[in-house]
Amino acid sequence: MADIPLLELKGITKRFPGVIANDHVDFELVKGEVHALLGENGAGKSTLMNILYGLYHPDEGEVRLDGKRVRIDSPRAAIDLGIGMVHQHFMLIPVMTVAENIVLGVEPHSGPFLNIDAAEKRVRDLSERFGLAVRPEALIESISVGMQQRVEILKALYRGAEILILDEPTAVLTPQEAEELFEIIRSLQAEGKSIVFITHKLGEVLAIADRVTVLRRGKTIETVPREGATEEGLARLMVGREVLLRVDKTPAQPGDPLLTVEDLRVFDERHLEAVRGVSLEVRAGEIVGIAGVDGNGQSELVEAITGLRRPESGRVVAVGEDITNEGARDSLEAGVGHIPEDRQRRGLVLDFTLAENIALKDYCEEPDSKWGWLYPKRLVARAKRLLTEFDVRGGGPQTLAASLSGGNQQKVVVAREVSRDPRILVAAQPTRGLDVGAIEFVHRRLVAERDEGRAILLVSFELDEILSLSDRILVMYEGRVVGEYSPDVSEEELGIAMTGGGREVAA
Amino acid sequence: MSVAEASQTPLDRLRRLGEARSLAIIGIWLGVLAVWLSVPPFTIRALVVPAAAAVLGASLGLWALTRGERKLGWWAIGVALLAILVALWFQSEESAELESVFSIGLLAATFRFAAPLAFAAMGGIFSERSGVVNIGLEGMMLAGAFFGIVVVAETGQWELGLLGAMAAGAVLALIHAFFSIHLRADQIISGFAINFLALGVTGYLFRSIYGTRGTPELEERIPNVHLPLIEDIPFFGDLFGNLNLMIWLMFAVVLTSFIVLFKTPIGLRIRSVGEHPKAADTVGISVFKVRYAAVILSGVLAALGGAYLSFGTGNAFNENMTAGRGFIALAAVIFGNWRPFGAFGACLLFGFSSALALRLQGSPLLPSDLASANLLSTLPYVLTLVVLVGVIGRSRGPAAAGRPYVKQ
Ligand SMILES: Nc1ncnc2c1ncn2[C@@H]1O[C@H](COP(=O)(O)OP(=O)(O)OP(=O)(O)O)[C@@H](O)[C@H]1O
Ligand SMILES: [Mg+2]
């Protein structure tokens, strides 16, 4: 590989009020390489890439492209320099079509008119050339997250990107989709594109990257080649201490059933039957994992249990109380805690402070309030304690949730739910977007909660997570539970069941 | 639901719902047709014809209702019942009396009442589609009405009057844009301020320039367009042969708005900025520029509507002469789902109700206490309320409307 760097970031510094997100960061990218950027939540990865893409302006430092110093003061400038970015939270317009999203800003036209046929054709050509299957005329809101991701990549390629930044592209993907993404990345690399790849999953780094740069607390720690790197070694570089990548736990001591779901049927927004008669039971002191590919009814099941969606028929009983047709408030008063799968939509009010977010479920009770009077100081004191306990970085109780990094937002949600001391905890994708250190923490915490005698229902698309945490595993496929397994089942067997090929359970 | 039904694939269910939907819509149209048949010019006396259409419409509605399409099904049944009532009631009336209300004139008047609304509504669509709520339409119309007529009175040229009106609307819109885009003020409050500003300034200037005499006799107004070829065609010619220039302009503006918004790159950009400004920003579209342009355009269009009021259909300015039309236009935008033809349809509906109210005043068709001018003139406003109550929560506007964009 040629060693003249295509792109160099030198001494980049970016300060936000109260935080130094990037502190004299150096980074370089060689033509045709896949360069992984690793770092804990809040280490400054997204910030650095947003600077490169012209969304933020650095306080100090310079960017060199092909050895020449460049000024990137807007995304427009970045696009003109051949830089494309797929953001951690997608930048797609849900009510528009795939083709419209891709060509937006550089639309093919005949005279003054938008030539949508030409746009769709170009999208089709590009998607064939790079092997990114999309339907140009489909609406964004109607396609899967995996396809949305491909749309984002096509958006960058359509603009002639030579350097492609992927900010945590696999955080929202199923393992199958992630595998497809790697294929795409390899074919892009074969076309001579250079790729910056941000992730928290060390296995992915070893699978795809040529080199790895590690950031910690805003500083560049080291750049290492993939050869010779190990997961443990990378984790140590990132976190600065040894990280236990496996969960230690004793066998479960299940007690009485706390959560019972009987023959539950739930419809989704489009009035299609998403959950088709699910029955399950979670006992005190056990973790029941629900494995399955995204979109097989897990979200609707969780929403029905937590009172966010009214089931069509069936029963949900929490700690002896029938909460089938009750709302979210009744569900949480019955003792159900909920870590929602979409932290930005369901977990947090982004325009509220962290203290307010943490109090969202208890604000109306003592000690937060009394006789309708809120005690903000108490909220702040509790928030301060929890933020320390859960190691939330990048802000204090008065910081707005929106300004936290993605992973730290997730920690705030986990902190609120776990600290409310629920009898039953429904955790959907509890570690989505978390770094290895934080995952270790959350996993330990979940096991500790189990040992305290709580019933935990874990929904995850990550097989690793399901296998290492669960005491029993249920597989959901097309709205039904199609199998129950013990945690010593092989990944292969689970994988087959998840795609509909498993043995049927008689229950 | 039976076992057989539960085992249907999602696609089947979707298809079935689709059928029910379209049948319900046909049912609604049959109901409308039934009403249409029983009024002039057709005035079909045999009750059975409109009744048959209505019954068919109602049964389609019922069919849809039982197959999951609740809302539209009820609508079809409601319209059908109304149609039968109307038909029954008209059977007993004299033809001549009916014709005094239902005539070509009614349609022409519908256009006249709809035009100011339609201009403002198109303005509202551009502004809201770009993500800026424009409550100030009312004030921009008023400013257009006043400054337009001032220019006409001074120069005697209606063309210059239109330019003056547009300029006045643009200035007010620029103020609204500056506050809501640059200073990130609350768009509702800024819009209200625009309305009060317009009301105050036009009221003050009106009195200090023209005193108590009112605006002078105009030498020129916006002319009508005579189309000699069309004029002789019966019915059609009566309606289109001699319309005001602004009504033709209205048709053109509605059509152009649709084309610009949905068929050009500019429209795609405007809509993207209103839906997800950050996404637009990341592909290099300037959110600020697009919003400024859209808001200023909305002011220009609203002012044209005002100009038509004061020296198109009318020939004088009165204080607060827009009388809430800007707000009705806003309701039309929402009712029309932020689409030009939808909003235009709503404007025609409001225009029709105004025209009908005017004609029904003192008409023997209504009991005399109902036919009073005051009561009837509230018809368009009542309709606005009903429509909004029916539609709110169901229609989805631009996702970022009302929210200022903060660039890092
Ligand atoms: N707009 C902003 N305003 C204030 N602080 C910010 C803003 N954006 C980021 N920060 C802070 O900068 C730091 C770095 O954030 P960044 O998003 O770059 O982290 P990250 O490495 O991408 O983390 P993650 O893996 O969780 O996404 C964090 O402490 C965050 O709170
Ligand atoms: Mg990030």
Side-chain angles (χ1 to χ4, degrees):
Chain A
M1 196 175 298
D3 268 319
I4 317 105
L6 172 64
L7 173 80
E8 283 175 282
L9 299 173
K10 281 192 175 158
I12 299 284
T13 299
K14 175 73 187 174
R15 298 182 195 91
F16 288 115
V19 215
I20 303 183
N22 287 157
D23 187 359
H24 296 94
V25 173
D26 297 324
F27 179 82
E28 61 169 52
L29 186 66
V30 176
K31 184 162 172 49
E33 78 169 333
V34 176
H35 196 138
L37 190 55
L38 269 183
E40 290 176 283
N41 296 127
K45 306 177 295 293
S46 296
T47 304
L48 187 67
M49 291 303 121
N50 282 331
I51 288 174
L52 180 54
Y53 194 63
L55 278 171
Y56 293 166
H57 305 297
D59 300 318
E60 291 168 38
E62 60 177 48
V63 179
R64 285 175 176 276
L65 200 67
D66 280 328
K68 284 190 296 288
R69 189 168 175 176
V70 289
R71 256 180 69 83
I72 306 178
D73 48 15
S74 69
R76 177 94 260 163
I79 293 168
D80 291 343
L81 291 170
I83 300 171
M85 177 160 178
V86 175
H87 297 264
Q88 186 168 1
H89 303 116
F90 290 164
M91 295 293 165
L92 295 173
I93 299 159
V95 295
M96 292 190 185
T97 67
V98 168
E100 285 173 333
N101 268 281
I102 291 176
V103 302
L104 183 62
V106 225
E107 306 86 354
H109 51 89
S110 32
F113 300 108
L114 183 63
N115 190 340
I116 204 70
D117 291 334
E120 289 181 357
K121 182 169 180 320
R122 280 203 220 169
V123 169
R124 229 168 256 129
D125 290 348
L126 266 183
S127 87
E128 260 162 43
R129 180 167 148 215
F130 293 100
L132 292 139
V134 295
R135 281 180 292 128
E137 66 292 332
L139 286 183
I140 294 293
E141 61 189 355
S142 71
I143 63 178
S144 71
V145 183
M147 195 184 287
Q148 292 183 7
Q149 177 119 59
R150 296 198 284 276
V151 174
E152 282 280 25
I153 297 175
L154 281 172
K155 234 167 102 179
L157 295 174
Y158 176 82
R159 287 166 177 72
E162 287 302 318
I163 297 172
L164 192 61
I165 305 163
L166 303 173
D167 193 350
E168 291 195 38
T170 54
V172 290
L173 298 188
T174 61
Q176 294 86 328
E177 287 173 329
E179 202 41 60
E180 285 167 28
L181 177 67
F182 292 162
E183 282 308 311
I184 293 164
I185 290 179
R186 287 190 193 102
S187 79
L188 292 175
Q189 193 177 15
E191 294 250 348
K193 314 268 180 208
S194 321
I195 291 156
V196 183
F197 183 85
I198 301 180
T199 185
H200 290 295
K201 298 175 188 167
L202 302 172
E204 293 178 357
V205 174
L206 297 181
I208 194 90
D210 299 308
R211 289 196 297 164
V212 188
T213 291
V214 179
L215 294 186
R216 195 197 306 153
R217 310 215 167 190
K219 293 199 177 73
T220 311
I221 300 300
E222 213 178 323
T223 299
V224 297
R226 183 212 10 219
E227 289 83 47
T230 60
E231 292 198 22
E232 287 73 18
L234 290 175
R236 196 176 332 107
L237 272 182
M238 259 172 76
V239 185
R241 62 175 166 87
E242 289 296 331
V243 181
L244 205 58
L245 294 174
R246 288 269 156 269
V247 191
D248 262 341
K249 67 180 188 7
T250 54
Q253 316 263 311
D256 300 330
L258 287 184
L259 175 69
T260 314
V261 172
E262 280 169 23
D263 200 22
L264 199 67
R265 292 174 53 244
V266 189
F267 287 89
D268 66 11
E269 285 83 29
R270 292 168 301 160
H271 305 287
L272 304 179
E273 193 173 8
V275 178
R276 307 168 165 220
V278 165
S279 301
L280 57 84
E281 196 177 79
V282 189
R283 293 152 172 267
E286 72 168 349
I287 299 181
V288 173
I290 294 195
V293 178
D294 191 9
N296 277 287
Q298 299 96 319
S299 311
E300 289 78 10
L301 175 66
V302 165
E303 286 175 352
I305 294 175
T306 53
L308 293 168
R309 186 184 288 273
R310 197 165 285 247
E312 191 70 12
S313 67
R315 248 156 64 88
V316 179
V317 180
V319 204
E321 202 176 318
D322 189 328
I323 54 165
T324 314
N325 286 312
E326 309 294 333
R329 169 64 51 193
D330 304 87
S331 160
L332 66 93
E333 269 165 14
V336 182
H338 178 205
I339 301 175
E341 63 175 10
D342 186 338
R343 55 179 172 249
Q344 297 212 335
R345 212 163 60 88
R346 281 261 154 95
L348 296 168
V349 182
L350 290 174
D351 295 334
F352 277 16
T353 65
L354 297 184
E356 287 163 339
N357 269 296
I358 285 176
L360 271 187
K361 289 192 169 171
D362 299 319
Y363 66 92
C364 50
E365 286 158 22
E366 284 189 58
D368 288 1
S369 64
K370 196 172 175 183
W371 295 331
W373 191 264
L374 198 65
Y375 293 91
K377 278 196 186 136
R378 294 185 190 165
L379 305 192
V380 170
R382 176 156 50 115
K384 193 175 269 170
R385 185 167 49 72
L386 286 177
L387 295 181
T388 321
E389 185 184 338
F390 285 82
D391 192 31
V392 176
R393 297 189 201 162
Q398 308 287 12
T399 310
L400 291 187
S403 74
L404 283 194
S405 78
N408 280 302
Q409 291 176 352
Q410 183 73 18
K411 291 192 217 167
V412 174
V413 177
V414 174
R416 177 180 70 216
E417 296 303 325
V418 171
S419 69
R420 290 189 63 250
D421 215 11
R423 299 290 305 278
I424 300 165
L425 184 60
V426 180
Q429 311 292 346
T431 58
R432 179 181 269 185
L434 292 189
D435 66 50
V436 281
I439 289 176
E440 179 196 23
F441 177 83
V442 170
H443 281 180
R444 277 208 208 140
R445 198 62 205 239
L446 286 178
V447 171
E449 299 299 318
R450 177 200 77 169
D451 294 340
E452 295 262 299
R454 287 183 233 299
I456 298 182
L457 184 66
L458 168 75
V459 177
S460 178
F461 308 139
E462 303 282 338
L463 278 187
D464 282 349
E465 181 159 271
I466 292 279
L467 286 168
S468 60
L469 283 181
S470 312
D471 301 307
R472 283 193 294 135
I473 299 171
L474 304 177
V475 175
M476 265 187 94
Y477 176 69
E478 291 198 336
R480 297 196 176 83
V481 173
V482 295
E484 172 165 348
Y485 299 86
S486 68
D488 49 23
V489 62
S490 71
E491 282 203 20
E492 288 68 39
E493 199 175 337
L494 268 191
I496 292 169
M498 280 163 56
T499 48
R503 58 187 156 91
E504 198 83 16
V505 267
Chain B
M1 204 181 279
S2 72
V3 181
E5 269 174 309
S7 65
Q8 278 181 330
T9 68
L11 206 70
D12 286 342
R13 294 176 50 90
L14 207 67
R15 212 175 278 141
R16 232 174 25 151
L17 199 69
E19 271 172 35
R21 252 187 94 77
S22 34
L23 285 178
I25 292 173
I26 296 174
I28 293 176
W29 281 112
L30 277 174
V32 173
L33 179 75
V35 177
W36 184 251
L37 287 177
S38 55
V39 301
F42 300 108
T43 332
I44 292 180
R45 281 300 177 202
L47 182 60
V48 24
V49 179
V55 167
L56 193 60
S59 37
L60 284 181
L62 199 65
W63 198 86
L65 192 65
T66 51
R67 275 156 189 78
E69 186 49 60
R70 300 246 160 76
K71 197 177 79 189
L72 285 177
W74 278 120
W75 267 98
I77 292 175
V79 172
L81 288 180
L82 194 78
I84 291 182
L85 282 180
V86 168
L88 271 178
W89 170 36
F90 285 170
Q91 297 308 309
S92 57
E93 299 294 338
E94 290 297 316
S95 253
E97 280 170 3
L98 279 177
E99 259 152 39
S100 72
V101 174
F102 298 95
S103 64
I104 298 291
L106 184 67
L107 289 184
T110 298
F111 285 153
R112 276 201 303 280
F113 282 108
L117 301 178
F119 280 109
M122 294 309 120
I125 287 178
F126 276 106
S127 176
E128 300 229 338
R129 279 285 184 174
S130 82
V132 181
V133 173
N134 195 348
I135 297 279
L137 286 177
E138 171 80 7
M140 296 171 195
M141 281 180 95
L142 192 60
F146 177 71
F147 289 100
I149 208 168
V150 168
V151 175
V152 178
E154 292 298 314
T155 64
Q157 281 178 302
W158 61 268
E159 296 93 331
L160 291 181
L162 282 184
L163 285 181
M166 284 155 69
V171 168
L172 276 188
L174 186 67
I175 299 175
H176 180 53
F178 181 71
F179 274 95
S180 48
I181 302 170
H182 244 101
L183 301 185
R184 291 186 230 128
D186 187 298
Q187 296 171 8
I188 305 286
I189 294 178
S190 166
F192 254 101
I194 294 290
N195 289 339
F196 283 118
L197 183 69
L199 191 60
V201 168
T202 56
Y204 171 75
L205 289 180
F206 175 61
R207 258 173 287 164
S208 62
I209 298 177
Y210 300 113
T212 49
R213 285 161 292 123
T215 42
E217 191 79 14
L218 294 181
E219 285 164 31
E220 241 189 291
R221 294 163 52 195
I222 305 174
N224 284 3
V225 183
H226 293 277
L227 298 173
L229 281 180
I230 291 184
E231 236 165 347
D232 296 332
I233 309 173
F235 188 79
F236 196 71
D238 293 339
L239 188 55
F240 291 102
N242 192 17
L243 283 177
N244 191 275
L245 178 64
M246 291 298 274
I247 299 210
W248 290 110
L249 187 63
M250 162 184 83
F251 292 133
V253 163
V254 171
L255 186 67
T256 317
S257 301
F258 170 76
I259 292 175
V260 167
L261 269 177
F262 294 101
K263 302 286 169 199
T264 69
I266 300 170
L268 189 67
R269 292 176 194 191
I270 295 177
R271 288 184 287 135
S272 72
V273 165
E275 286 290 340
H276 195 332
K278 189 145 191 206
D281 195 7
T282 55
V283 293
I285 294 171
S286 166
V287 176
F288 277 26
K289 276 189 206 152
V290 170
R291 288 194 168 171
Y292 264 99
V295 173
I296 290 174
L297 179 63
S298 82
V300 169
L301 288 174
L304 280 178
Y308 175 67
L309 273 183
S310 66
F311 58 102
T313 175
N315 56 3
F317 179 85
N318 301 312
E319 268 191 79
N320 193 20
M321 77 179 296
T322 46
R325 284 185 181 79
F327 291 102
I328 296 185
L330 220 47
V333 170
I334 297 170
F335 188 47
N337 218 353
W338 289 268
R339 296 177 145 266
F341 286 120
F344 181 54
C347 290
L348 286 179
L349 187 69
F350 292 136
F352 179 75
S353 67
S354 303
L356 190 65
L358 196 69
R359 297 216 158 210
L360 281 176
Q361 277 169 27
S363 155
L365 286 183
L366 286 180
S368 59
D369 43 347
L370 270 185
S372 89
N374 281 339
L375 191 65
L376 280 170
S377 60
T378 61
L379 192 60
Y381 301 94
V382 172
L383 194 67
T384 310
L385 264 180
V386 170
V387 156
L388 282 183
V389 167
V391 120
I392 263 173
R394 285 185 235 272
S395 57
R396 180 165 73 166
R403 277 194 266 147
Y405 181 59
V406 192
K407 219 173 145 68
Q408 292 296 334

